[in-house]
Amino acid sequence: MDMPTTHRTPARAAATGDDTTGDDRDRKVFIKTYGCQMNVYDSQRMADALAADGYAATERMEDADLVLLNTCHIREKAAEKVYSELGRIRDLKTERALEGKTLTIGVTGCVAQAEGKEIIRRAPAVDLVVGPQTYHRLPDVLARVRGGARVVETDYAIEDKFEHLPAPKKAVVAKRGVTAFLTVQEGCDKFCTFCVVPYTRGSEVSRPVEQIVAEAERLAAAGVREVTLLGQNVNAWHGQGPDGKAWGLGRLLFRLAEIPGIARLRYTTSHPRDMDDELIAAHGDLETLMPYLHLPVQAGSDRILKAMNRKHAASDYLRLIERIRAARPDIALSGDFIVGFPGETDADFEDTLRLVREVGYASAFSFKYSPRPGTPGAEMDGHVAEQVKDERLQRLQALLVDQQQAFTVSMVGRTMPVLIEKPGRQAGQRVGRSPWLQPVIVDEKAGGIGDIIDVRIMEAGFNSLHAVPA
Ligand code: SAH
Ligand code: SF4
Ligand code: F3S
């Protein structure tokens, strides 16, 4: 074995007397988060696990004894960012060493899972590499690092990390604000041919209802008003209910809506194949469920959808949207798109534009296809030239920006409830959210943070709305 990984237990490390560096003073951790909301949630849970181990969180890397990069592997650029950041942190570590101090560097998240030991080889300053399923083992990993080891932990743990991660203190939750993420499902069994997620996050796991309810109750008790349920494939969630049966997401949403204090629910990200009748009905029947749905389609051409292994045609998606709109006519839709998947012709791309025009999105994310090592797409024939991808992305984004702008402008003159979230950038202002996830700027006298107030939209900016109390 060429890897310097060891598996010393913390007890052994302590016994050798080399577990003392920094143990008897205040330790600080700086976590930098890349990628999706699931990583944002994971970073908070890592901070909770480390708080229980004596680490306070800091917003400044320069103050930290431990720097964790919680990484994303979804596109090549995302993964490469990590290595350039590691270069900068290495310099900080060298400066520290000259002062006789230590800086521990860790890589977590999807790059950690995908590249494991390769990170240790490519970036010698890295002390630990921990995959998304083993965050509860961080204190143990750090003890081993203090014992002089470089540790790689990328197993899919047999134990459930959620059962082992400590709950955050009420004051910590309150500081994080009145909206919160709550991961209910992890992993993906869909294997879209472009995507690394099934390899970095493993197969689908659904948390049981009682665990989720307990976490949501803790959030509510700390003042959280809006909870967004997260999962790589959140609407495939089928956790065990207290009745011993597998529940669907629609039923879970109804249960969570009963928790006093929880006024708004959202969920993301969904796969079109997993929108069942109960969930669609919830959009019509459950007022707490906000009228906004992120439902990626990726492409509008059946040929490309098939090559992507999305397991549905464009017409299935359009029918589904019709059913969702029948249940909740004012629902706003958002999506993800990939241009330049291998084999995509001009005609295929026109199909994507046609689908976008037909649906009308309130917001959307669009990307150039990025071949990912180990995925079937990367091995396919017919890779599209970069310049063609650029042109297609520009055309698609121009259309999506127009749609988003039209949606924003359509809000002017309307009255709606807004959840006030935080102080605004300018003195005397506060920022809230509309039911459709738009930032709404109001005067601070309009209400306190955590209040839901009725406002009238007076003006639309590019990305936000200005409102007065209704
Ligand atoms: N679970 C979500 C997607 C997670 S990844 C879903 O099924 O929709 C977020 C988005 O990144 C995807 O929806 C897709 O549009 C984009 N993406 C994933 N892999 C990509 C790749 N190889 N190249 C470009 N974009 C990609
Ligand atoms: Fe990736 Fe497809 Fe799974 Fe979404 S559904 S995480 S795009 S494999
Ligand atoms: Fe990125 Fe992993 Fe999320 S690859 S998008 S951080 S699941």
Side-chain angles (χ1 to χ4, degrees):
M1 246 188 59
D2 59 341
M3 293 319 304
T5 0
T6 71
H7 289 274
R8 271 199 287 178
T9 63
R12 166 93 191 283
T16 59
D18 49 16
D19 190 27
T20 49
T21 22
D23 237 13
D24 44 6
R25 65 193 165 88
D26 292 338
R27 295 190 296 214
K28 289 202 177 73
V29 57
F30 171 82
I31 307 180
K32 181 160 181 173
T33 309
Y34 301 81
C36 62
Q37 290 114 321
M38 307 223 21
N39 263 10
V40 174
Y41 174 84
D42 283 347
S43 290
Q44 292 180 346
R45 300 306 301 268
M46 283 195 272
D48 299 338
L50 291 166
D53 197 39
Y55 282 90
T58 171
E59 303 282 308
R60 283 169 38 96
M61 190 189 288
E62 295 71 27
D63 297 339
D65 309 279
L66 168 64
V67 172
L68 295 178
L69 301 185
N70 193 14
T71 62
C72 173
H73 202 246
I74 202 81
R75 283 168 291 275
E76 192 179 355
K77 263 198 198 134
E80 280 308 314
K81 264 190 218 156
V82 175
Y83 286 102
S84 55
E85 183 70 10
L86 281 173
R88 276 195 293 275
I89 307 170
R90 181 196 52 209
D91 296 343
L92 189 61
K93 184 169 182 153
T94 311
E95 279 171 35
R96 284 285 172 86
L98 291 174
E99 296 163 12
K101 293 181 193 152
T102 54
L103 176 67
T104 304
I105 303 177
V107 178
T108 61
C110 290
V111 176
Q113 190 64 42
E115 299 191 2
K117 293 172 180 173
E118 172 67 12
I119 300 173
I120 294 266
R121 196 188 61 76
R122 237 181 109 177
V126 171
D127 300 288
L128 61 107
V129 175
V130 175
Q133 306 311 326
T134 41
Y135 293 151
H136 54 297
R137 295 190 195 153
L138 267 173
D140 169 49
V141 166
L142 284 164
R144 279 160 30 206
V145 168
R146 284 195 288 275
R150 298 176 79 198
V151 184
V152 178
E153 273 269 9
T154 50
D155 298 343
Y156 291 122
I158 356 145
E159 71 265 41
D160 174 3
K161 73 168 174 190
F162 294 110
E163 273 182 25
H164 289 81
L165 282 167
K169 293 209 167 70
K170 197 170 171 177
V172 171
V173 179
K175 214 174 129 203
R176 285 175 186 162
V178 293
T179 63
F181 291 136
L182 200 178
T183 293
V184 299
Q185 181 277 334
E186 271 215 82
C188 181
D189 296 339
K190 291 282 191 297
F191 290 93
C192 302
T193 53
F194 51 81
C195 185
V196 291
V197 170
Y199 311 96
T200 61
R201 295 277 174 164
S203 51
E204 278 178 15
V205 176
S206 295
R207 296 177 71 185
V209 173
E210 278 168 351
Q211 220 184 68
I212 297 165
V213 169
E215 190 166 328
E217 282 173 347
R218 265 199 309 274
L219 293 172
V224 168
R225 307 297 320 274
E226 174 179 302
V227 176
T228 302
L229 306 183
L230 299 181
Q232 266 89 26
N233 228 317
V234 72
N235 58 344
W237 178 87
H238 55 278
Q240 196 189 29
D243 53 2
K245 298 200 179 108
W247 286 23
L249 193 68
R251 188 160 176 203
L252 177 68
L253 287 163
F254 273 98
R255 173 67 189 88
L256 294 174
E258 289 169 10
I259 298 173
I262 301 290
R264 291 181 162 194
L265 291 167
R266 304 177 187 274
Y267 60 94
T268 197
T269 293
S270 297
H271 192 289
R273 289 265 303 201
D274 294 315
M275 288 302 296
D276 65 16
D277 294 346
E278 196 182 20
L279 184 54
I280 295 173
H283 278 282
D285 302 337
L286 184 60
E287 223 178 294
T288 318
L289 182 57
M290 291 294 101
Y292 182 96
L293 178 63
H294 185 61
L295 194 62
V297 64
Q298 314 295 355
S301 145
D302 287 345
R303 215 171 57 79
I304 295 299
L305 286 168
K306 193 160 196 293
M308 286 177 163
N309 191 32
R310 289 291 289 184
K311 301 187 177 88
H312 63 79
S315 56
D316 299 325
Y317 181 80
L318 293 171
R319 259 199 309 276
L320 178 61
I321 300 288
E322 261 176 40
R323 287 174 55 213
I324 298 166
R325 282 187 167 145
R328 180 81 206 219
D330 68 342
I331 199 158
L333 291 158
S334 123
D336 292 342
F337 297 89
I338 295 177
V339 300
F341 186 77
E344 187 186 73
T345 62
D346 285 341
D348 291 321
F349 175 64
E350 291 299 328
D351 286 345
T352 299
L353 294 178
R354 195 168 318 124
L355 179 139
V356 170
R357 282 190 205 104
E358 194 153 342
V359 172
Y361 287 92
S363 79
F365 301 92
S366 46
F367 314 96
K368 288 190 283 181
Y369 171 68
S370 168
R372 307 307 292 129
T375 60
E379 307 298 320
M380 286 179 186
D381 293 334
H383 279 269
V384 174
E386 213 45 37
Q387 194 199 336
V388 176
K389 285 188 202 172
D390 279 330
E391 285 164 9
R392 288 183 188 163
L393 189 67
Q394 271 183 29
R395 283 185 64 200
L396 176 60
Q397 288 187 339
L399 174 59
L400 290 167
V401 165
D402 277 355
Q403 291 191 343
Q404 176 168 355
Q405 194 56 30
F407 182 71
T408 309
V409 168
S410 74
M411 297 289 143
V412 176
R414 289 178 62 173
T415 301
M416 63 183 69
V418 161
L419 168 60
I420 301 186
E421 289 185 8
K422 56 186 178 196
R425 238 177 275 154
Q426 285 171 30
Q429 286 184 340
R430 289 209 165 116
V431 185
R433 290 261 171 200
S434 79
W436 301 278
L437 215 52
Q438 300 145 304
V440 181
I441 297 162
V442 292
D443 190 279
E444 66 181 353
K445 289 192 224 53
I449 290 170
D451 290 347
I452 296 176
I453 56 162
D454 280 330
V455 302
R456 187 176 163 81
I457 305 297
M458 305 304 288
E459 206 185 316
F462 181 70
N463 230 335
S464 56
L465 302 166
H466 290 260
V468 295

